[in-house]
Amino acid sequence: MRKISLVQMDAGQKGKVVEILGGAGLKQRLLVMGIYPGREITKLSQFILRGPVAVKVGRSVLALGFGMAGKIILEVE
Amino acid sequence: MIKKIFLVGNPNVGKSVVFSRLTGVQVIVSNYPGTTVEFSRGYFKINEEKIEVIDLPGTYSLEPTSSAEEVAVSLLKEANKEESVIINVVDATNLERNLFLTLQLIEEGYPVVVCLNMCDDMVHRGISIDIKKLEEILEVPVISTCAVTGLGIKLLRERINEAKTKSRAKLSHQARWQEIGKIIEEVQKLKHRHHTWRELLEDISVRPLPGLFMAGAVIYLSFKLVRFLGELLINKIFDPLFFNFYQPLLEKLILILKDHKFLFHLLIGELIQGKIDFKQSLGLLTTAPYIEFAMVLPYLMSFYFILSILEDIGYLPRLAILLDNFLHRLGLHGFAIIPLLLGFGCNVPGILATRTLESKRERFIAAVLISLGIPCVPLQAMIFGLLGKFGGLYVFSVYLVLFSLLLILGIILNRTLRGYSPELLLEIPPYRIPPLFMLIKKLYLRIKAFIFDALPVVLLGVLVINILNFFKLFDFFTSIFKPFLTKLFGLPKESIFALLIGFLRKDIAVGLLIPLNLSIKQLLISTVLLGLSFPCIATFIILLKELGFKALLKATAIMLGVGIIVGGILNLGIRG
């Protein structure tokens, strides 16, 4: 088990959210879309040059900006 | 007593389709979050009682994060809970995420009916939901529907009366998700099966390299198709109608009007070599309808048809991911591609769509870039109409100037405006195959809006020009603007009318510029000036409404400034 950010994860890798670094506003926005500590998500892809990250949360596919993705810390195998 | 029904739900679950089914009011629907940015109102009857139905913009929770969501949440807050019912539209293929809002609504004491929509798609994706059990757990009526085909809507109407306020303990957000996890485990079953081709395509489009190739192919094909369909409509339908049916009628009218000089001038305009020239005569019955119906409308129809297909399939949010990085340099994020694309049809809906962007700064940048750098279909028809005969290179160079300006201005605005732009956080919807009747309905709505909004303004513009012309009032204006125009832009003094009338509508300017026999350099400068110097009146009004007076002044100053600078540079830089 190690902790890395969503940006550091590989495409296709699964992880469990442990922490969201950032203000209450960001936590709230992510929370209502289903990303919160304890939740398992799968990274689908990462776009080059600090581009967005696509993830699968439950049955939805979400795209997150690079900076936002860097603030999501996950636990991976 | 129920007086009002609110349609509430996450973005892109089909609220507007349910709304149309309930009330018969037609509204524009697409497959991306945030199609509805303002609320729409309609009525329907239960037992002879007329009830108001309000379709709200989608929201993920009762705490808004964009101005479109604010509309939804504030209207809900004002609602009288004794007299209203909430139809909570839920995407059955994504029950888990949708239940967050459902529980929040029930906890807040709203009388809720859950409309489990998109049940047809659920089957394709191997999901089954135990509706009885879900009803027991939520303690509110749950009705499965497929709003696109109308399945289940009748039952939904019948059970609206059953909605009651329930006392459900208010949970913290985190605890609510845990509760939802338990509910899902009890009511939802997933069948494991092989990936379908649709899922494969969905997958490809969110991966960088294949996604890029796909985007290139989609954009190229769309562009080709818009041109092909537009030309087909002109050559096979609109031109024959005008030349074979309408012109003979007008020629009869000419004989009748021969002795009424003023009326002749207003309705027919000038005869060019003794004949009606639809592009130049400039009469209320000649050039005005020809420009709108035979030059602009065909391209508008083909543009909106292709756009509707991309919208309803659900491709646009995928384009948003690809362009996110690039748009960040302009102070926007990927989702801004949707307002920008809509702006190519008409700037007004494009600017309205900026409501889905989170910050004021972003909305300002997007609105200015749309009104300055995105040529709408009427403007594009004008560019082609004026420059097309000189060859594709000239047409291309106008686009190049506009887009480079959009880039430069975006970068400057991003560096100089205070604040920063928020980041992309967007749900990527699954692909859906739109039924043809939905596409045609949407095309009809958009074309109808165009005809009702544009035609009166065009007629007014032509009327004003003709009256000024008839009473020889033009000289007054020309003498004021002459030094400015000739020295700075190298344009003849008469071109001022085309530029001024461009404030009403860009496409009338064609009729004014053609008779001036401008050189190619002058045509190039005047089309660029028309494109970026000043928005048309409809765009102007929407900018005022959306941005407020102060921001409008700022936007106008930017546009005029850029127009003067670029016009001047082009005049100096191109050898005539």
Side-chain angles (χ1 to χ4, degrees):
Chain A
M1 287 295 215
R2 56 203 175 93
K3 288 180 187 174
I4 54 175
S5 81
L6 185 53
V7 170
Q8 294 163 312
M9 267 168 85
D10 298 322
Q13 206 174 10
K14 263 187 200 165
K16 195 177 195 178
V17 180
V18 286
E19 197 184 355
I20 291 162
L21 313 168
L26 176 65
K27 282 182 185 158
Q28 166 78 12
R29 279 183 73 197
L30 290 170
L31 181 82
V32 299
M33 294 182 94
I35 299 178
Y36 52 89
R39 181 69 198 231
E40 201 167 88
I41 59 184
T42 311
K43 179 164 172 175
L44 293 177
S45 59
Q46 161 95 56
F47 286 76
I48 50 158
L49 297 168
R50 302 167 68 82
V53 175
V55 297
K56 195 160 174 102
V57 186
R59 297 196 62 84
S60 6
V61 176
L62 300 177
L64 299 88
F66 184 85
M68 201 184 276
K71 289 177 188 156
I72 300 175
I73 309 296
L74 306 102
E75 219 171 47
V76 293
E77 292 292 327
Chain B
M1 202 53 244
I2 305 171
K3 288 194 175 148
K4 272 187 189 175
I5 294 176
F6 291 91
L7 285 162
V8 186
N10 286 179
N12 206 33
V13 295
K15 290 177 294 299
S16 299
V17 188
V18 175
F19 174 76
S20 288
R21 284 282 168 193
L22 283 176
T23 61
V25 175
Q26 303 300 330
V27 283
I28 289 187
V29 296
S30 307
N31 183 13
Y32 54 78
T35 310
T36 310
V37 289
E38 1 180 40
F39 61 95
S40 356
R41 220 183 273 272
Y43 296 90
F44 87 103
K45 280 183 176 170
I46 307 182
N47 315 327
E48 299 302 303
E49 206 71 51
K50 203 170 148 194
I51 297 172
E52 192 180 350
V53 185
I54 297 163
D55 179 26
L56 296 178
T59 180
Y60 288 106
S61 72
L62 293 176
E63 295 93 18
T65 55
S66 76
S67 74
E69 288 190 6
E70 258 163 47
V71 172
V73 174
S74 66
L75 270 168
L76 273 181
K77 289 233 161 85
E78 287 165 22
N80 180 339
K81 285 178 190 161
E82 268 95 63
E83 293 180 341
S84 346
V85 165
I86 286 181
I87 297 183
N88 175 215
V89 184
V90 161
D91 175 358
T93 64
N94 202 340
L95 184 63
E96 184 177 12
R97 202 214 47 223
N98 282 250
L99 277 181
F100 188 83
L101 180 65
T102 309
L103 285 186
Q104 233 186 347
L105 287 167
I106 300 173
E107 286 167 22
E108 288 294 325
Y110 292 102
V112 174
V113 180
V114 172
C115 165
L116 200 61
N117 198 22
M118 306 197 194
C119 277
D120 51 334
D121 207 25
M122 190 171 81
V123 183
H124 295 305
R125 289 177 191 269
I127 307 166
S128 68
I129 293 172
D130 187 338
I131 293 173
K132 269 258 133 43
K133 207 172 231 168
L134 186 61
E135 239 175 16
E136 273 166 36
I137 296 171
L138 294 177
E139 298 177 80
V140 300
V142 177
I143 297 109
S144 77
T145 63
C146 171
V148 169
T149 60
L151 200 81
I153 297 294
K154 193 165 166 268
L155 195 65
L156 177 67
R157 282 166 182 262
E158 287 165 6
R159 295 193 62 188
I160 282 170
N161 280 320
E162 294 174 32
K164 295 277 164 341
T165 297
K166 300 286 168 191
S167 55
R168 204 184 172 95
K170 283 190 193 180
L171 298 172
S172 75
H173 287 341
Q174 194 97 20
R176 194 174 299 124
W177 278 120
Q178 269 157 17
E179 173 84 10
I180 290 167
K182 281 185 220 150
I183 299 176
I184 289 295
E185 214 146 89
E186 278 194 59
V187 301
Q188 180 177 287
K189 284 203 179 62
L190 300 178
K191 236 187 289 166
H192 280 285
R193 60 212 163 93
H194 292 290
H195 278 246
T196 60
W197 62 270
R198 188 151 53 133
E199 282 161 325
L200 198 76
L201 278 179
E202 279 168 11
D203 204 50
I204 283 177
S205 58
V206 296
R207 288 178 201 281
L209 217 53
L212 204 63
F213 279 113
M214 201 165 151
V218 167
I219 291 171
Y220 177 78
L221 267 178
S222 310
F223 193 76
K224 282 275 162 198
L225 267 172
V226 168
R227 277 209 71 179
F228 173 75
L229 282 177
E231 274 164 21
L232 195 75
L233 285 171
I234 291 177
N235 294 331
K236 296 283 174 216
I237 299 177
F238 289 98
D239 263 359
L241 271 180
F242 267 89
F243 291 112
N244 301 340
F245 290 97
Y246 191 54
Q247 194 161 4
L249 283 179
L250 283 180
E251 271 157 11
K252 278 183 194 141
L253 188 70
I254 289 181
L255 297 176
I256 301 168
L257 285 176
K258 246 193 332 218
D259 303 321
H260 304 79
K261 257 194 158 168
F262 183 62
L263 259 184
F264 188 92
H265 186 81
L266 282 189
L267 296 180
I268 308 289
E270 308 275 335
L271 293 183
I272 310 290
Q273 292 165 345
K275 282 199 159 169
I276 293 171
D277 183 327
F278 278 120
K279 283 187 186 166
Q280 299 187 43
S281 288
L282 218 68
L284 284 175
L285 294 179
T286 52
T287 304
Y290 185 78
I291 288 180
E292 283 326 290
F293 292 121
M295 291 172 80
V296 175
L297 186 66
Y299 282 112
L300 207 69
M301 284 169 82
S302 64
F303 171 80
Y304 277 137
F305 186 66
I306 301 298
L307 181 72
S308 303
I309 294 178
L310 292 180
E311 279 181 337
D312 290 9
I313 286 181
Y315 184 69
L316 300 186
R318 288 162 171 89
L319 210 50
I321 316 183
L322 278 172
L323 292 170
D324 181 53
N325 200 329
F326 163 72
L327 286 166
H328 263 294
R329 288 163 218 277
L330 312 183
L332 301 168
H333 64 55
F335 195 66
I337 190 60
I338 288 178
L340 291 177
L341 267 181
L342 285 173
F344 276 101
C346 168
N347 283 182
V348 173
I351 292 168
L352 264 177
T354 61
R355 286 194 190 174
T356 43
L357 302 177
E358 294 87 351
S359 76
K360 249 191 167 159
R361 177 183 193 264
E362 242 186 324
R363 295 193 62 198
F364 178 78
I365 295 177
V368 170
L369 293 187
I370 290 170
S371 45
L372 185 135
I374 302 282
C376 59
V377 165
L379 183 63
Q380 294 183 63
M382 194 201 71
I383 296 171
F384 275 92
L386 284 173
L387 295 170
K389 61 178 179 218
F390 296 101
L393 190 68
Y394 291 101
V395 174
F396 177 73
S397 56
V398 174
Y399 280 84
L400 194 71
V401 171
L402 290 180
F403 290 135
S404 344
L405 278 173
L406 188 146
L407 286 188
I408 297 168
L409 190 68
I411 292 170
I412 294 176
L413 285 176
N414 186 31
R415 299 259 162 104
T416 52
L417 288 178
R418 253 182 299 154
Y420 65 97
S421 285
E423 288 204 68
L424 180 74
L425 177 56
L426 177 65
E427 188 180 352
I428 311 296
Y431 283 135
R432 295 190 175 114
I433 301 163
L436 189 62
F437 80 90
M438 294 281 283
L439 290 174
I440 290 181
K441 218 169 180 179
K442 184 148 87 167
L443 185 64
Y444 165 77
L445 284 176
R446 282 177 161 156
I447 297 300
K448 193 172 93 181
F450 165 76
I451 290 175
F452 275 86
D453 294 342
L455 203 59
V457 183
V458 171
L459 292 176
L460 178 76
V462 173
L463 187 71
V464 170
I465 297 170
N466 280 348
I467 289 176
L468 287 177
N469 214 348
F470 189 78
F471 294 109
K472 309 249 179 294
L473 295 172
F474 270 175
D475 299 340
F476 171 68
F477 284 102
T478 42
S479 55
I480 302 177
F481 287 101
K482 188 186 167 199
F484 192 60
L485 274 178
T486 47
K487 287 226 174 71
L488 195 55
F489 302 135
L491 295 175
K493 58 183 184 180
E494 292 84 5
S495 60
I496 187 61
F497 303 115
L499 295 181
L500 285 180
I501 219 72
F503 177 57
L504 277 179
R505 268 195 79 80
K506 306 286 178 188
D507 39 14
I508 320 177
V510 190
L512 283 167
L513 286 174
I514 291 178
L516 296 180
N517 287 321
L518 299 179
S519 72
I520 179 71
K521 174 185 170 183
Q522 289 171 323
L523 277 176
L524 212 61
I525 293 176
S526 44
T527 36
V528 168
L529 274 180
L530 266 168
L532 54 83
S533 65
F534 219 80
C536 71
I537 190 152
T539 310
F540 203 75
I541 291 170
I542 206 80
L543 279 173
L544 176 67
K545 222 173 100 191
E546 295 298 309
L547 300 179
F549 188 67
K550 247 170 93 181
L552 174 69
L553 279 185
K554 214 155 81 178
T556 311
I558 292 173
M559 283 181 252
L560 277 177
V562 171
I564 290 171
I565 294 168
V566 174
I569 290 177
L570 283 180
N571 184 30
L572 289 176
I574 311 174
R575 260 177 288 158

